[in-house]
Amino acid sequence: MTPVTTFAEAIGRTLADNGVGHAFGVVANGNVLAVTQLTSHGVRYLSARHEGGAVTMADAYFRTTGEVAVCTTGSGPGLTNTATGLTDAVKHRSGILLLCGDTPVAGPRRIDIDQAAFLSALGVPAIRLTDPATVRSDTLDALRRARTEQRPVALCLPPDLISAHVTEPVGGAALGPATAPLSGWPPERQAPPVVETVLDRLAAARRPLILGGLGAWRAGAAKALTDLGERLGALHTTSAMAAGLFNGSPWSLGVCGGFASPRAAELIGRADLVLAFGASLDRWTLADGRLLGPEATLVQVDTRTTPTADRVDLLVGGDAAEVAAALLDGAEARGLPRSGWRTEATDRLACLGWDREPYEDVGTGDRIDPRTLTLALAELLPRERTLVTDGGHFVGWPAMYWTVPDPAAYVFTGAAFQSIGLGFAGAVGAAVGRGDRITVVALGDGGALMGLPELETLVRAGRSALVVIYDDGGYGMEVVLYGELGADRDTMVFGDTDFAATARALGARTATVRSVADLTAVRDWRAEGAEGVLVLDCKVVPEVVADCLAGLTSVISGRKPSTP
Ligand SMILES: Cc1ncc(C[n+]2csc(CCOP(=O)(O)OP(=O)(O)O)c2C)c(N)n1
């Protein structure tokens, strides 16, 4: 007798056989048997405490490894719990396979919602598994789309079909060529006339700047951009999301936009031609219009067909590495002169960082100055680390004072959707994805409490992670932005939380940090092998406002931020 295969088994086996190594989820009646099939076919599964955490774990796993993981949930509330993290993954263009329960084929129950409409509203294509003759091919199609289109794709499984028999033979489906890319991401070939126009501009440029974004990193264009910069005598900079792209280059200004140090920002402002590769050029990267000088020409090189910022003067459609190579060839062919900007800027390049900017420490003994804390930790953190951050005012401190080894080592959760609360979940995905790097996760007290359940998952995952909670006793970002506009402080200031006790209860090692002396806990943890999770409950002085938020605060409130 031929053995029968159920829908659940076909899904689990197809995903395992086609290279899916990890799944994150919460089991419910809509997916539990499918999860059992995943694990029995060798996919490693980590149970999250909230579906919103599970999806951010899969997102961070993709960001740190470039590989698609499964996020799995039941139907209804299990799925709707993913909304925020899922939207952030859509906007960040992370590949995720979302395997979720669905409404029964027999018809919706009182508890059901229109899941396809829900997913569509978030920008997630959904494939509903109903045909026994195409279960394997449909599963593969979803996986292929998540990989090639770099986006979340949902595979929806009606509960009354989980144990139904498939009729499609094993081997009837295999990962074929990529499906057509998303509209908006056509693989445009380089149009030579546009390259010639850029070369004309380069011929007249005296201070060319090459800006690399996440798209350049994903296109593997770092070397091509470095070579182009060498030929042109250009300086380099990156968007925040591509931090570390030009690590090791003496000609790199580091991150541009709001996080740029004053000296880097000054140099960026002097560029007369900016070539931006694979960067979306949003308000953060362009520092709300303050990044570039008024006369600078901005060229956007991207696979998108329309410019993503008003400021763009010229769009070059194409792959970052290919366009860089075409420009390099063109510069050679035309014999373009090499700019003298590097020589001119040498002295300033030697002292660019925020760590060169003086400040007056305002620590009280009872509370630590967040700048002093972050600078001291910079000395104590291992170089091979993945930096995960939640959102909030505090993000300025790690962005200003800590570096990352490459863009895959920076997971700024929630940034694309402007959400807080995803930090712990992001740390789990990063720690699972890159177990060879110590995970360092920075959070504010608000984001930490919003996403607290996944601290338990982080501890349970058993990976090496350092948690730094900047406890300013409230929603610092809102205080900075709206405090002086008359907002009711009681809605945003709560006082300290005893994170050390809370985290200890969840199984972490902990230390409360009120001064640099308390950081011996980090030295001890590292000396003992940096095993497990160390949570630093850092009581920071709340009044210190990060300089990098100056533009933002003045845009919103019309005033300059102040430091005490
Ligand atoms: C899900 C979500 N809810 C609310 C907000 C609005 N918000 C932005 S920053 C912030 C405060 C964050 O506080 P905390 O995590 O303590 O960091 P801090 O700003 O104090 O450094 C809030 C409530 C948001 N961005 N996302």
Side-chain angles (χ1 to χ4, degrees):
M1 210 173 74
T2 327
V4 290
T5 302
T6 62
F7 270 51
E9 187 182 350
I11 297 163
R13 185 161 168 190
T14 302
L15 294 175
D17 286 352
N18 285 280
V20 171
H22 274 278
F24 305 90
V26 176
V27 290
N29 75 336
N31 68 333
V32 61
L33 292 180
V35 171
T36 300
Q37 290 297 335
L38 284 173
T39 56
S40 64
H41 286 95
V43 175
R44 274 158 289 175
Y45 176 77
L46 184 60
S47 183
R49 288 298 178 184
H50 189 287
E51 293 83 353
V55 75
T56 297
M57 289 171 200
D59 182 348
Y61 183 88
F62 177 81
R63 296 190 200 196
T64 52
T65 65
E67 287 168 23
V68 169
V70 167
C71 165
T72 181
T73 74
S75 60
L79 177 64
T80 55
N81 264 355
T82 65
T84 301
L86 188 54
T87 308
D88 193 53
V90 169
K91 291 184 182 297
H92 190 80
R93 288 197 285 269
S94 291
I96 295 173
L97 185 79
L98 173 62
L99 174 61
C100 57
D102 202 351
T103 49
V105 280
R109 304 155 294 188
R110 193 185 61 81
I111 57 168
D112 290 319
I113 59 164
D114 183 346
Q115 294 197 179
F118 169 80
L119 287 163
S120 163
L122 306 186
V124 179
I127 297 175
R128 185 166 149 93
L129 292 173
T130 52
D131 187 346
T134 59
V135 178
R136 290 192 177 89
S137 341
D138 291 345
T139 302
L140 272 182
D141 192 33
L143 178 60
R144 178 171 49 233
R145 290 191 66 184
R147 281 181 178 154
T148 59
E149 297 172 17
Q150 302 195 340
R151 66 187 318 194
V153 177
L155 200 53
C156 308
L157 180 59
D160 42 355
L161 287 181
I162 291 174
S163 300
H165 296 168
V166 304
T167 53
E168 187 180 21
V170 180
L175 267 190
T179 48
L182 295 179
S183 58
W185 278 87
E188 288 250 313
R189 294 302 306 165
Q190 179 50 42
V194 183
V195 170
E196 293 303 324
T197 310
V198 179
L199 288 166
D200 291 343
R201 304 281 176 103
L202 275 170
R206 294 185 48 235
R207 290 179 300 280
L209 176 70
I210 293 176
L211 193 168
L214 196 61
W217 163 250
R218 289 188 181 177
K223 165 124 187 17
L225 296 181
T226 304
D227 293 348
L228 179 64
E230 194 60 43
R231 176 61 186 77
L232 301 175
L235 298 184
H236 284 106
T237 186
T238 75
S239 67
M241 290 302 180
L245 186 67
F246 300 118
N247 269 358
S249 164
W251 313 113
S252 173
L253 303 171
V255 170
C256 69
F259 293 147
S261 71
R263 285 167 223 237
E266 200 244 307
L267 280 168
I268 294 167
R270 297 192 62 228
D272 56 4
L273 176 62
V274 180
L275 303 176
F277 291 83
S280 54
L281 301 176
D282 60 17
R283 58 180 294 212
W284 309 104
T285 302
L286 296 180
D288 273 319
R290 289 172 291 118
L291 184 77
L292 305 178
E295 304 302 326
T297 299
L298 177 58
V299 177
Q300 182 174 27
V301 179
D302 211 289
T303 46
R304 281 169 276 214
T305 45
T306 47
T308 57
D310 293 343
R311 184 67 171 75
V312 172
D313 297 294
L314 192 63
L315 175 76
V316 182
D319 171 83
E322 284 175 20
V323 174
L327 288 170
L328 182 58
D329 290 348
E332 278 300 312
R334 288 190 183 203
L336 290 189
R338 197 168 179 276
S339 132
W341 199 20
R342 288 183 170 187
T343 319
E344 216 181 283
T346 305
D347 290 349
R348 283 186 213 175
L349 283 162
C351 53
L352 274 182
W354 280 105
D355 55 352
R356 300 297 191 103
E357 299 297 321
Y359 68 90
E360 191 194 329
D361 185 298
V362 293
T364 59
D366 200 36
R367 306 196 78 91
I368 188 166
D369 186 310
R371 296 163 292 193
T372 305
L373 167 71
T374 317
L375 277 164
L377 280 170
E379 302 291 316
L380 297 174
L381 301 178
R383 228 197 81 73
E384 270 306 308
R385 60 190 179 225
T386 302
L387 172 60
V388 179
T389 68
D390 204 312
H393 166 244
F394 78 89
V395 292
W397 309 124
M400 286 159 72
Y401 297 121
W402 296 346
T403 57
V404 291
D406 57 48
Y410 186 39
V411 180
F412 188 169
T413 62
F417 192 36
Q418 297 289 293
S419 175
I420 65 167
L422 306 177
F424 281 130
V428 175
V432 170
R434 289 298 302 264
D436 57 319
R437 286 178 165 167
I438 288 183
T439 302
V440 179
V441 53
L443 313 94
D445 48 304
L449 286 170
M450 192 178 279
L452 191 64
E454 306 309 350
L455 173 57
E456 189 277 336
T457 312
L458 186 62
V459 172
R460 184 162 33 85
R463 308 286 171 135
S464 176
L466 179 70
V467 176
V468 182
I469 300 175
Y470 290 81
D471 186 1
D472 61 0
Y475 292 150
M477 179 71 111
E478 313 306 88
V479 174
V480 171
L481 295 181
Y482 305 108
E484 287 182 18
L485 293 180
D488 181 352
R489 285 178 65 87
D490 289 348
T491 63
M492 50 186 87
V493 178
F494 314 109
D496 288 344
T497 300
D498 189 347
F499 284 103
T502 309
R504 231 177 358 258
L506 292 175
R509 182 168 168 164
T510 63
T512 303
V513 177
R514 296 182 182 280
S515 70
V516 169
D518 296 323
L519 295 176
T520 47
V522 181
R523 272 190 210 92
D524 295 346
W525 177 68
R526 287 201 64 195
E528 291 163 32
E531 279 177 20
V533 178
L534 171 63
V535 174
L536 299 180
D537 178 5
C538 308
K539 304 305 182 196
V540 297
V541 178
E543 290 84 11
V544 189
V545 177
D547 289 353
C548 61
L549 293 179
L552 182 63
T553 52
S554 49
V555 165
I556 295 188
S557 66
R559 68 182 166 80
K560 282 273 174 213
S562 54
T563 48

